Amino acid sequence: MAEKLTDSEGREDLVYIKTEDGSYRGWRVDLLIDNLSSKMEEKILLCSSCKGMLRDACFYEGDLKCGVCIPEGVAWQPVKMNREIVSDKMISCPVKKRGCEWSDTVSTVMHHLEKCEFFPVLCPLGCVCLDGERKGKVMKLERKLIPKHQRDSCPLRELVCEFCMNTVKGCEMNPHLEICEHFPLLCPNRCVIEGEEGTRQVKRRDVSVHLANECPLQKVECPYWIYGCREEMERKEMNLHEREFLHIHHRLSITDMKQKQIQMSKDNKLLEEKLDTATERIVLVEKNFESKSRELLTFKQNQIETSKQTIDKLEIATKKIAFLQNENESKIKELSKVKHMEDKLDTANIKIENLEKQISKKDSELKSIIEVLYSHISLATGQLEWKIKGVKQKIENKESSYGDPFYVGLYKCQGNIEWNYDNTGKVVVAICIVKGAYDDKLHWPIIYKYTFILLCHINSYYNYEITKQVTKEDLEKYPNSLKRPTEMRNDGLGTRSLISNTEILEAKYCKEDSITLLIKIELLPAL
C-alpha cells in the first residue's frame, strides 16, 4: 500500500507516494516552480485519479493514471515520453513547509531527499512513539534533529551508570538505580559521620553490614542479655550502660555461674549412675565371654576328630582313584573309535557349509523375486477391520489405542486412536507406519489414500466415513509420518475430527461398550 508523509501538525501532506517496490509517483503539482505550458502537457503530467504529477504514466480505461491508482494485478506499460517531460521541470523540496529552501529539477529530487536535513526519518535506534498518531511505531524526526535525539532524549541510547559504571539503556536507567548495588542510600537510622554535616550515605549492598556493625543509632541488645539483662539501647550508649550497670552485670554473671555449677553437679551425679550401670554390664559381658570361650574349645576338639575321619576317607578315595585310572586306560582305547567318528563328522560339516552357500544363493534369488513382486504390487490396497473394546473407559482416561499391524503391499501399517484429543471432545484417528521386514526394498516417502469407516451395527446406511489422501503439503508438514521408520513406529497421520465422543457412544455405533472401525489404505504413485 502507498505511504503518505505527514507534517508536524498531523495533516496529510501528499508530497509523494511510495509503493512497495520502492518507486515514487504522484508528486504534488503545486511544488512546481514554473507553470505548465499547455493543457495537453497538463493532461499528460497529471494522474486522472489522484491528480498527482506523473513520473511514469500508463493508459488504463482510456485515461492516464499513475501506478498507484491502477488496480493490483493489471498489466501496464509506462509512457516514456512523460518521464522526459517531467524530469526537466523545476520543483521545490517536498518538505519545504518544514523550512527547506532547496529547488532543482524533478530528476534530482530523490537524491536531495536522501540528505535533506528537514526530511523526516526513522530513529536509527528504533525507539517508538508513546502517544499521537504514530503511537507504537518507530519515531520519526527531521534528519538534522537525529544526532541531538540520539545524544539527549532517545530512550534506547546507551548510558553509563555513575555508581556501578555498567552500560544501561536510557529507558532502563531509573529502574536500574532502584536496584543498583552501588547506589548511595541514607542510613535508615539517619546517623551522621562525626565532624561532618548531613546524614551518612551507605552503598545499597552495605546497608545490612552498616546496621549490624557500625551504625551508632542502631538498637542493640546488652552483651549480658544471656545472663538476664534485658536492656536495649543505641550502639553509641552501650559503653555508658556497661559502666553504670557494671555491678549489676557482675551479680548476674555470678548468679548464672552458680546455676551452672548446680547443673554440673546434677549432670555429674547422672554420669556416675550411668558409669555404675556400665560397670555392671561389663561384668556380665566378661561372664558371657568365659562361657563362649569354653564352647569354642569344645568346638575345636570336635573339629580335630572330624579331620581324622576325613583323612581316613581320603585314603579310601585314593585307592578308588587308582582303580579308576586302570579303567581309564580301557576307555582311551574306546576314544580312538570316537576319533574315527569325528573324522566322519568333519566330512558332514563340509557338506553343511556347501548347503549353507546354496541357501545364501537362494536367499539372494528370493530378494530379487521380492523386488519384482514389489514392482507389481506397489499400488496395492490393504484394509483392517478393528474391533475396539472398553470404549467408555478409554474416553474417560484419554487413552491412546493401537490396532493390530497389517500390510498394504509390503508396507506395514497400524491404526491409532486418540480419545478426547486436547479436551475438545473429538476422536483423532491416524495411520502409523511401522517397521517392516521389507523397508530397505521400498520407496520412501509413502504416498497413499486412506479411508476411515465407523461401522453401524444396525444399518450400514449410517456408517460414518471419511476419505483423504496424502498431499505435497502433508509431505512438508508431516515428514516424520511418511518417511522410512527409524523407531518402532512413525508419528500418526490422519484426521482430527472423525467424530465426537458423544456421537461415538450412540447405540448405533457402540454395542456392548465396543465399536468397529474399518481402515482402508490404497498406495498411490510418488508425487
Side-chain angles (χ1 to χ4, degrees):
M1 297 297 293
E3 175 185 334
K4 297 182 180 180
L5 292 183
T6 60
D7 61 13
S8 58
E9 290 78 23
R11 296 180 290 101
E12 288 191 356
D13 186 8
L14 184 62
V15 294
Y16 66 85
I17 300 176
K18 181 180 179 182
T19 61
E20 291 181 348
D21 62 1
S23 60
Y24 297 88
R25 302 183 180 89
W27 284 301
R28 279 175 29 190
V29 177
D30 61 353
L31 294 177
L32 290 174
I33 295 175
D34 54 342
N35 296 324
L36 302 178
S37 59
S38 64
K39 292 184 178 181
M40 179 58 68
E41 186 175 351
E42 180 178 358
K43 182 178 179 181
I44 294 174
L45 290 176
L46 300 183
C47 173
S48 61
S49 295
C50 67
K51 304 304 179 183
M53 183 173 64
L54 295 169
R55 181 178 182 180
D56 286 335
C58 65
F59 283 102
Y60 179 71
E61 296 182 352
D63 292 321
L64 281 172
K65 294 182 182 292
C66 65
V68 177
C69 297
I70 294 177
E72 294 184 4
V74 177
W76 56 278
Q77 195 69 22
V79 180
K80 298 300 181 182
M81 175 186 65
N82 191 71
R83 177 189 290 266
E84 296 173 358
I85 295 174
V86 172
S87 61
D88 293 335
K89 295 294 181 181
M90 294 296 293
I91 189 171
S92 301
C93 178
V95 291
K96 65 178 181 179
K97 290 184 179 181
R98 298 179 182 270
C100 183
E101 298 179 355
W102 176 91
S103 63
D104 205 336
T105 60
V106 170
S107 60
T108 62
V109 67
M110 295 315 303
H111 178 70
H112 165 70
L113 289 179
E114 292 177 358
K115 58 182 180 179
C116 179
E117 292 295 321
F118 296 89
F119 188 73
V121 295
L122 299 176
C123 172
L125 298 180
C127 66
V128 298
C129 297
L130 301 179
D131 51 21
E133 293 183 358
R134 292 188 61 82
K135 182 177 181 180
K137 298 182 180 180
V138 179
M139 182 174 289
K140 277 187 175 182
L141 297 169
E142 293 181 359
R143 185 176 277 109
K144 65 180 180 181
L145 299 178
I146 289 295
K148 185 175 185 299
H149 168 72
Q150 287 184 274
R151 183 180 65 254
D152 300 332
S153 59
C154 181
L156 299 182
R157 71 190 187 279
E158 291 188 351
L159 302 176
V160 177
C161 175
E162 61 178 312
F163 304 107
C164 65
M165 305 309 293
N166 289 329
T167 302
V168 184
K169 290 183 179 179
C171 59
E172 299 174 357
M173 179 56 74
N174 289 336
H176 167 74
L177 292 178
E178 293 179 0
I179 62 173
C180 179
E181 292 293 327
H182 295 266
F183 186 80
L185 299 175
L186 295 178
C187 171
N189 295 326
R190 297 299 189 269
C191 69
V192 297
I193 300 175
E194 187 175 353
E196 298 181 9
E197 295 182 357
T199 304
R200 184 195 302 265
Q201 290 187 345
V202 186
K203 292 182 179 180
R204 180 179 275 112
R205 67 179 183 182
D206 298 333
V207 170
S208 58
V209 177
H210 169 70
L211 294 176
N213 303 324
E214 302 171 359
C215 182
L217 301 182
Q218 178 66 17
K219 290 281 186 179
V220 295
E221 298 174 352
C222 175
Y224 289 87
W225 184 281
I226 60 175
Y227 299 116
C229 181
R230 293 293 184 262
E231 294 290 336
E232 290 187 5
M233 66 215 74
E234 295 179 352
R235 182 177 279 109
K236 67 180 180 180
E237 299 173 353
M238 183 58 65
N239 292 334
L240 178 60
H241 169 75
E242 290 180 346
R243 287 196 301 270
E244 292 179 351
F245 290 84
L246 179 61
H247 62 287
I248 296 176
H249 291 164
H250 182 66
R251 185 168 61 252
L252 289 173
S253 61
I254 291 174
T255 302
D256 182 72
M257 187 179 297
K258 288 180 179 179
Q259 291 176 352
K260 288 183 178 179
Q261 286 178 348
I262 295 171
Q263 184 64 34
M264 287 178 65
S265 298
K266 293 180 180 179
D267 293 342
N268 288 335
K269 188 176 181 180
L270 290 174
L271 289 173
E272 288 176 356
E273 292 176 356
K274 290 182 179 180
L275 180 60
D276 293 339
T277 304
T279 303
E280 292 175 359
R281 293 181 64 184
I282 290 171
V283 173
L284 291 175
V285 170
E286 288 178 347
K287 290 180 180 179
N288 290 334
F289 179 74
E290 291 177 357
S291 175
K292 295 294 182 182
S293 297
R294 287 193 295 270
E295 291 178 1
L296 181 60
L297 181 60
T298 304
F299 177 75
K300 286 182 178 180
Q301 292 175 352
N302 292 335
Q303 287 292 98
I304 291 171
E305 293 178 359
T306 303
S307 298
K308 289 180 179 178
Q309 294 175 0
T310 303
I311 291 171
D312 293 339
K313 292 179 180 179
L314 183 60
E315 291 177 352
I316 295 172
T318 303
K319 293 178 181 179
K320 289 183 178 180
I321 289 172
F323 174 76
L324 290 173
Q325 285 178 347
N326 294 330
E327 288 187 348
N328 284 339
E329 292 178 357
S330 61
K331 295 287 186 182
I332 290 172
K333 294 179 181 179
E334 294 179 359
L335 285 174
S336 61
K337 296 180 181 179
V338 173
K339 186 176 180 180
H340 179 67
M341 295 297 294
E342 289 178 349
D343 294 338
K344 291 183 178 180
L345 182 61
D346 291 339
T347 304
N349 286 335
I350 293 172
K351 291 181 179 180
I352 290 172
E353 289 179 359
N354 293 332
L355 287 174
E356 288 177 348
K357 292 179 180 179
Q358 293 177 7
I359 291 172
S360 176
K361 183 177 179 181
K362 294 293 184 181
D363 185 56
S364 61
E365 293 176 356
L366 179 61
K367 289 181 179 179
S368 300
I369 293 172
I370 289 174
E371 292 181 356
V372 174
L373 177 62
Y374 169 75
S375 65
H376 286 81
I377 63 172
S378 59
L379 301 179
T381 301
Q383 70 178 35
L384 169 68
E385 186 173 313
W386 182 10
K387 186 172 184 180
I388 305 168
K389 300 179 180 179
V391 174
K392 293 180 181 179
Q393 183 177 358
K394 293 180 185 295
I395 292 175
E396 291 175 358
N397 298 337
K398 303 178 184 178
E399 297 179 4
S400 179
S401 302
Y402 289 92
D404 295 332
F406 63 101
Y407 277 89
V408 183
L410 297 178
Y411 292 93
K412 192 174 183 181
C413 305
Q414 189 177 25
N416 170 238
I417 291 183
E418 297 284 347
W419 307 89
N420 197 11
Y421 184 76
D422 289 344
N423 297 322
T424 58
K426 292 292 185 178
V427 176
V428 176
V429 183
I431 301 296
C432 300
I433 306 303
V434 186
K435 270 190 174 182
Y438 312 107
D439 289 350
D440 56 340
K441 301 293 188 300
L442 302 177
H443 298 289
W444 302 97
I446 179 174
I447 308 299
Y448 56 86
K449 180 171 73 174
Y450 53 95
T451 302
F452 300 127
I453 305 175
L454 180 61
L455 299 182
C456 174
H457 62 84
I458 298 174
N459 190 336
S460 61
Y461 175 78
Y462 297 103
N463 288 352
Y464 194 93
E465 179 176 341
I466 288 182
T467 300
K468 294 185 178 181
Q469 80 174 52
V470 175
T471 63
K472 290 184 178 179
E473 290 75 13
D474 293 333
L475 290 175
E476 296 174 357
K477 192 172 181 181
Y478 310 105
N480 292 333
S481 300
L482 303 170
K483 68 179 184 180
R484 176 180 175 178
T486 55
E487 303 294 337
M488 183 178 73
R489 67 171 67 90
N490 283 351
D491 297 337
L493 178 64
T495 175
R496 294 192 176 185
S497 57
L498 174 66
I499 195 171
S500 67
N501 293 329
T502 305
E503 294 174 312
I504 207 169
L505 292 175
E506 292 179 0
K508 60 183 177 181
Y509 298 123
C510 187
K511 181 180 181 182
E512 297 179 356
D513 200 19
S514 300
I515 63 171
T516 302
L517 182 66
L518 183 61
I519 301 175
K520 296 181 179 182
I521 303 179
E522 179 182 350
L523 296 179
L524 301 175
L527 295 176

